[in-house]
């Protein structure tokens, strides 16, 4: 039986421990330095990501591209969804070929290249190079009947922008899925509560990056120039790339260990479709010998470990799948909430300036309006304040009193706050439409676009952003902790990838729902209101999301209760502890 492992000794073959940890106190100090470097890279990457996503709807809706409101909102949801949905791709490449360190380096390089497309298309010469000339609007005959509908024109530069956004989403998802686990690897020797604290501060650093991006980048994009505003994210990615390479000597890096995807698929086929499995065995008898005691010894998990990991995956998946409607609600914050905010009265930053009247459109070029994306700061500030309070005060107090709720209980609470957020958004939209239907509108110019807004201040959106921020603390952070801690060690990368992938599924389902409701007769179909949503019924869309969230929250609580009862079973608990190493 092997003796105890020294703190600086590698845990497995091919693992590289930090080069600078030589003295007795070195390992602990350098683990914290490595974790700090990861948090700094994460902060810069998130600053770049929010710099792209925060005003994407406004950019696509601007005079440069002239996308319709629902087209811009749909593109934002596709980008956000893909940035999570593609997470397993980066995790799989890291597990099989690259290892997490090299996967992060290559992803940051792709990030740097893809993020350069947006500032390139923000200038006329760049748009002509990448997209060609903008087609002129053609005159069409009048509608033969009052109720006739016309399809929205095809968005200009859509293929180029969608390709660029999808490459950017691939890079961001790969960084996210690998950097999360890579950072947790750096603190694995610092005690049993180190992971919980790391994920708290990991999420905190995400929101610090969001604050920097939204305060500076969003203001520049909306009031000064999209060229300058989209060049800053490129600089953030370049700096993150440099810091990550500079910190290489203090990182723990692990080699690729192989993927269990094929094993999991074969086990799923055997358990769910035995007839198909028998037909597969008859055609490929050697491939069937993947299962226990029929496979020769080879590197990677044993057949028994494959089966144990498959059982864990079967237990984890229902919990994570029932979080999908929560992500549908969460991603409204960067799509339909933004669209709603553009149609509320946005005050000027310098209200006493003589030209800052929303009715005087000719003078708006000299006025600086509060960026709509700044409403995201309400969400971010909640996270920045409550995460340290939770980490230093609330969690230790509940731990001493033995009242600390489980990760699943926190997630259920977070879903209830998400439900409350979308309900508040729905009631605000109802009130906004009342003003619109009574022809009480305020024309305001944002950038070079005119929006006909209700005379309701945009500050009425703050409650829905605050509620979604509180929901993040209770749903997203415990979700990360749950996915990492409950997964077997050999599947941690895959489980984290699945967790982020399902987040993307939620965003894409939200985008699909927007596309469905934008068809003729749908609540979001308003072709006579190009670029605006005043003839839409977005309040009904919000209430539909609330109903979906409420129904699945009840299902989540039932599944989570079964999971926790099974985890308390002594036999299953000992089995799971062996699986997790």
């Amino acid at each position: 039986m092997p003796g105890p492992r020294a703190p600086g000794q590698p845990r497995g073959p091919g693992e590289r421990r930090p080069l600078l940890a030589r003295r007795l106190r070195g390992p602990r100090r350098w683990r914290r330095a490595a974790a700090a470097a990861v948090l700094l890279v994460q902060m810069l990457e998130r600053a770049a990501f929010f710099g792209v996503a925060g005003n994407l709807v406004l950019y696509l809706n601007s005079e440069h591209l002239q996308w319709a409101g629902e087209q811009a909102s749909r593109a934002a949801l596709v980008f956000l969804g893909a940035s999570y949905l593609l997470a397993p791709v980066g995790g799989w490449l890291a597990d099989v070929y690259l290892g997490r360190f090299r996967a992060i380096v290559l992803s940051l390089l792709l990030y740097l290249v893809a993020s350069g497309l947006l500032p390139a298309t923000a200038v006329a010469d760049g748009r002509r190079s990448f997209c060609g000339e903008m087609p002129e609007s053609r005159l069409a005959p009048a509608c033969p009947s009052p109720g006739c509908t016309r399809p929205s024109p095809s968005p200009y530069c859509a293929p180029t922008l969608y390709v660029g956004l999808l490459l950017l989403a691939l890079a961001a998802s790969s960084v996210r899925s690998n950097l999360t686990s890579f950072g947790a690897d750096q603190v694995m020797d610092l005690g049993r509560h180190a992971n919980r604290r790391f994920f708290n501060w990991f999420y905190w650093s995400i929101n610090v990056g969001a604050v920097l991006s939204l305060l500076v980048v969003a203001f520049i994009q909306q009031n000064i120039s999209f060229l300058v505003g989209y060049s800053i994210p490129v600089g953030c990615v370049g700096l993150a790339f440099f810091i990550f390479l500079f910190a290489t000597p203090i990182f723990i890096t692990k080699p690729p260990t192989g993927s269990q995807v094929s094993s999991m698929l074969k086990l799923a086929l055997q358990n769910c479709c035995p007839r198909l499995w028998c037909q597969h065995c008859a055609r490929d008898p050697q491939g069937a010998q993947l299962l226990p005691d029929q496979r020769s010894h080879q590197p990677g998990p044993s057949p028994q470990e494959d089966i144990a990991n498959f059982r864990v995956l079967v237990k984890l998946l229902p919990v994570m799948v029932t979080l999908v409607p929560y992500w549908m609600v969460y991603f409204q914050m960067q799509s339909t909430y933004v669209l709603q905010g553009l149609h509320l009265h946005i005050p000027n930053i310098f209200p006493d300036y003589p030209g800052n009247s929303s009715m005087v459109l000719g003078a708006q070029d000299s006025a600086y309006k509060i960026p709509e994306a700044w409403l995201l700061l309400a969400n971010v500030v909640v996270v920045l304040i409550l995460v340290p309070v939770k980490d230093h005060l609330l969690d230790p107090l509940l731990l001493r009193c033995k009242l600390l709720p489980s990760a699943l209980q926190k997630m259920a609470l977070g879903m209830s706050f998400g439900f409350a957020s979308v309900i508040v958004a729905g009631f605000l939209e109802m009130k906004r439409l009342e003003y619109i239907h009574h022809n009480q509108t305020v024309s305001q110019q944002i950038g070079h676009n005119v929006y006909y807004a209700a005379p309701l201040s945009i500050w009425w959106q703050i409650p829905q952003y605050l509620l979604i921020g509180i929901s993040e603390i209770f749903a997203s952070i415990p979700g990360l902790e749950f996915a990492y801690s409950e997964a077997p060690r050999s599947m941690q990368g895959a489980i984290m990838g699945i967790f982020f992938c399902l987040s993307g599924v939620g965003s894409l389902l939200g985008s699909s729902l927007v596309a469905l409701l934008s068809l003729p007769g749908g609540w979001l179909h308003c072709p006579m209101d190009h670029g605006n949503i005043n003839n839409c019924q977005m309040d009904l869309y919000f209430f539909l999301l609330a109903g979906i969230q409420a129904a699945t929250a009840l299902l989540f609580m039932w599944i989570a209760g079964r999971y926790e009862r099974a985890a308390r079973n002594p036999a299953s608990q000992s089995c799971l502890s062996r699986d997790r190493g």
Side-chain angles (χ1 to χ4, degrees):
M1 183 175 179
R5 182 181 57 84
Q9 181 181 341
R11 286 176 176 249
E15 179 178 322
R16 184 179 65 78
R17 307 296 289 186
L19 300 177
L20 300 179
R22 291 287 183 263
R23 289 175 290 180
L24 183 62
R25 294 181 57 84
R28 191 173 188 86
R29 184 179 63 187
W30 290 114
R31 291 307 85 239
R32 290 176 175 173
V38 170
L39 295 179
L40 185 56
V41 169
Q42 179 64 25
M43 182 189 74
L44 290 167
E45 186 275 329
R46 288 292 91 186
F49 183 83
F50 281 103
V52 170
N55 268 334
L56 186 59
V57 171
L58 182 61
Y59 177 58
L60 298 176
N61 199 211
S62 69
E63 65 168 2
H64 300 310
L65 299 169
Q66 298 180 9
W67 289 28
E70 75 277 2
Q71 291 170 339
S73 182
R74 199 183 315 153
L77 283 170
V78 167
F79 169 64
L80 292 168
S83 69
Y84 288 86
L85 191 65
L86 296 172
V89 176
W92 178 78
L93 288 172
D95 286 342
V96 178
Y97 298 111
L98 301 173
R100 287 174 189 157
F101 177 81
R102 279 184 288 179
I104 293 169
V105 169
L106 293 176
S107 299
L108 287 172
L109 273 176
L110 177 61
Y111 212 133
L112 196 59
V113 173
S115 60
L117 179 66
L118 289 173
T121 55
V123 293
D125 289 341
R127 284 193 299 276
R128 281 193 291 270
S129 300
F130 286 102
C131 314
E133 295 289 343
M134 179 181 286
E136 296 181 1
S137 301
R138 296 181 180 179
L139 294 175
C143 282
S145 63
C148 74
T149 60
R150 291 176 182 164
S152 299
S154 177
Y156 169 61
C157 201
T160 301
L161 286 172
Y162 267 110
V163 168
L165 289 174
L166 288 175
L167 286 175
L168 197 57
L170 174 62
S173 65
S174 180
V175 171
R176 181 186 292 112
S177 61
N178 289 302
L179 195 62
T180 309
S181 301
F182 186 79
D185 290 342
Q186 309 308 311
V187 299
M188 60 187 173
D189 295 330
L190 298 184
R192 65 192 188 97
H193 293 298
N195 278 340
R196 174 179 58 81
R197 300 198 65 191
F198 172 77
F199 284 120
N200 280 340
W201 289 105
F202 187 82
Y203 221 84
W204 189 84
S205 67
I206 288 174
N207 286 275
V208 170
V211 165
L212 296 176
S213 180
L214 295 172
L215 277 176
V216 179
V217 180
F219 175 83
I220 291 173
Q221 288 170 344
Q222 181 168 310
N223 291 291
I224 298 176
S225 165
F226 277 108
L227 172 61
V228 178
Y230 275 132
S231 297
I232 296 174
V234 179
C236 288
V237 176
L239 183 57
F241 181 67
F242 171 77
I243 290 171
F244 192 77
L245 290 182
F246 185 76
T248 299
I250 61 172
F251 284 148
I252 294 173
T253 59
K254 297 181 178 180
T257 56
S259 174
Q260 292 184 275
V261 173
S262 58
S263 302
M264 295 296 105
L265 290 176
K266 288 185 179 181
L267 286 166
L269 184 64
Q270 185 192 27
N271 283 272
C272 301
C273 309
R275 284 188 182 179
L276 289 176
W277 175 253
C278 291
Q279 294 174 7
H280 171 72
C281 292
R283 289 194 304 268
D284 183 16
Q286 290 183 347
Q289 293 183 359
L290 169 76
L291 298 180
D293 303 324
Q294 298 180 355
R295 182 172 72 183
S296 59
H297 293 288
Q298 54 187 339
S302 67
Q304 289 79 8
E305 288 174 325
D306 284 342
I307 292 179
N309 291 343
F310 177 73
R311 288 172 180 164
V312 173
L313 184 63
V314 167
K315 291 178 182 178
L316 290 177
L317 272 180
V319 176
M320 294 194 289
V321 167
T322 45
L323 263 181
V324 167
Y326 167 75
W327 297 117
M328 290 177 67
V329 170
Y330 175 81
F331 285 114
Q332 303 307 310
M333 177 176 60
Q334 292 163 322
S335 55
T336 53
Y337 283 13
V338 174
L339 207 55
Q340 182 187 48
L342 292 171
H343 295 83
L344 295 169
H345 177 56
I346 303 177
N348 293 302
I349 294 179
F350 307 111
D352 296 331
Y353 186 75
N356 285 349
S357 168
S358 293
M359 302 300 296
V360 186
L361 296 180
Q364 285 297 310
D365 290 339
S366 60
Y368 288 147
K369 300 191 79 65
I370 290 174
E372 200 284 330
W374 276 9
L375 268 293
L376 288 170
L377 289 172
N379 160 268
V380 171
V381 168
V382 167
V383 176
L384 290 179
I385 293 173
L386 291 187
V387 163
V389 170
K390 179 176 177 291
D391 184 66
H392 289 295
L393 297 177
L394 187 59
D395 282 355
L397 177 63
L398 293 175
L399 196 60
R400 282 196 298 270
C401 300
K402 298 183 179 179
L403 295 174
L404 187 67
S406 68
L408 293 176
Q409 290 169 339
K410 294 175 188 175
M411 290 157 72
L413 183 60
M415 293 170 81
S416 67
F417 280 108
F419 167 81
S421 172
V422 80
I423 283 286
V424 169
F427 280 113
L428 176 61
E429 184 66 10
M430 281 180 61
K431 190 66 178 176
R432 192 190 73 82
L433 289 175
E434 283 183 20
Y435 283 99
I436 299 300
H437 295 155
H438 287 91
N439 204 26
Q440 299 177 17
T441 61
V442 176
S443 56
Q444 59 185 3
Q445 185 165 338
I446 301 175
H448 297 282
N449 300 326
V450 176
Y451 292 89
Y452 298 96
L456 275 171
S457 174
I458 195 174
W459 304 126
W460 285 105
Q461 277 195 308
I462 287 179
Q464 67 202 55
Y465 281 99
L466 289 176
L467 287 167
I468 206 74
I470 297 171
S471 79
E472 265 192 280
I473 293 171
F474 289 104
S476 189
I477 298 176
L480 282 172
E481 180 189 346
F482 174 79
Y484 184 83
S485 60
E486 294 296 309
R489 182 174 298 162
S490 58
M491 288 189 66
Q492 281 172 338
I495 296 294
M496 294 299 286
I498 291 171
F499 178 83
F500 288 123
C501 176
L502 290 174
S503 308
V505 169
S507 179
L508 290 180
L509 284 177
S511 174
S512 301
L513 191 57
V514 169
L516 181 65
L517 296 176
S518 298
L519 295 174
W523 295 333
L524 300 181
H525 180 70
C526 40
M528 302 302 292
D529 194 18
H530 183 75
N532 287 268
I533 55 169
N534 292 334
N535 290 325
C536 298
Q537 293 176 287
M538 203 159 67
D539 54 334
L540 299 180
Y541 170 70
F542 288 139
F543 291 137
L544 175 61
L545 283 177
I548 294 171
Q549 172 69 100
T552 50
L554 295 174
L555 179 62
F556 175 85
M557 288 188 282
W558 178 72
I559 291 173
R562 289 190 60 186
Y563 185 92
E564 290 189 327
R565 284 193 296 271
R568 284 194 292 267
N569 185 347
S572 65
Q573 199 168 16
S574 62
C575 177
L576 286 174
S577 63
R578 286 195 304 269
D579 292 339
R580 292 174 200 146

